[in-house]
Amino acid sequence: MEKVRPLLESFSETLHHLGPVGSGHKAKVIHNFIAQGNAAVLAEAFTAAAKNGIDLAAFADICSLSGGHSRTFDRIIPFVLSGDDSGQRFAIANCEKDMRYYTQLAKSSPSTGIVAESVYQTFLLAKSLGHGEKYVPHLFDVLGEINGVRVRAAEKKP
């Protein structure tokens, strides 16, 4: 690592040594599971909130003050609040691919992948329904469509 550090530093913002060869790739796949799993949970939760008539802007406020808050939350909830999908410019198809990699990694370890299979299937479904090229925030639309509800905060009246 020390031998190639100067070369890596020339084009890398940060460097982290995580173990033997291949550990960095595995860590990336595991990290993507955390972020994409969070996105899937948020989309499902906000869909349930919309289906139950909860004010989504108020719900977002509550979540931002509690354990429901995360960097993924900050990136994708603006889509629910204002239709802004620019916070998570990553295609649903890429999420499906990453989650497939993660589920394969878990199986090869072997390690449980119960939650991962659900997250993978969520992104696979969204991709299969034709939303693969859309950014992650559009997962709210996919789950809303499946559940017969629009997952958007009501516009505030002046």
Side-chain angles (χ1 to χ4, degrees):
M1 175 70 179
E2 292 313 311
K3 194 175 191 177
V4 296
R5 182 177 292 280
L7 173 65
L8 295 173
E9 286 176 337
S10 72
F11 63 86
S12 300
E13 193 173 309
T14 63
L15 293 176
H16 303 275
H17 186 264
L18 298 165
V21 172
S23 297
H25 173 71
K26 290 175 184 174
K28 177 188 180 296
V29 169
I30 294 166
H31 170 266
N32 288 351
F33 163 56
I34 294 169
Q36 293 161 2
N38 194 353
V41 166
L42 287 166
E44 188 169 300
F46 273 75
T47 299
K51 190 85 176 182
N52 283 279
I54 295 171
D55 178 319
L56 297 183
F59 184 60
D61 287 343
I62 296 288
C63 291
S64 72
L65 300 171
S66 66
H69 185 250
S70 65
R71 182 169 283 174
T72 300
F73 178 95
D74 290 340
R75 290 178 175 169
I76 68 174
I77 293 303
F79 184 70
V80 173
L81 301 177
S82 67
D84 179 6
D85 72 352
S86 68
Q88 188 72 24
R89 292 184 175 173
F90 195 68
I92 287 172
N94 289 334
C95 292
E96 180 272 328
K97 172 191 58 77
D98 285 351
M99 288 308 307
R100 183 171 13 94
Y101 290 164
Y102 179 82
T103 57
Q104 291 169 350
L105 175 66
K107 288 174 186 171
S108 72
S109 295
S111 179
T112 58
I114 300 162
V115 173
E117 284 293 340
S118 295
V119 174
Y120 169 64
Q121 290 296 324
T122 300
F123 283 104
L124 179 61
L125 177 63
K127 180 181 165 188
S128 298
L129 291 173
H131 300 278
E133 299 309 311
K134 295 178 183 172
Y135 294 144
V136 172
H138 290 270
L139 196 57
F140 292 101
D141 289 342
V142 175
L143 294 182
E145 177 184 325
I146 291 167
N147 287 282
V149 68
R150 187 167 189 272
V151 186
R152 289 290 191 290
E155 292 184 26
K156 299 202 185 226
K157 296 179 182 173

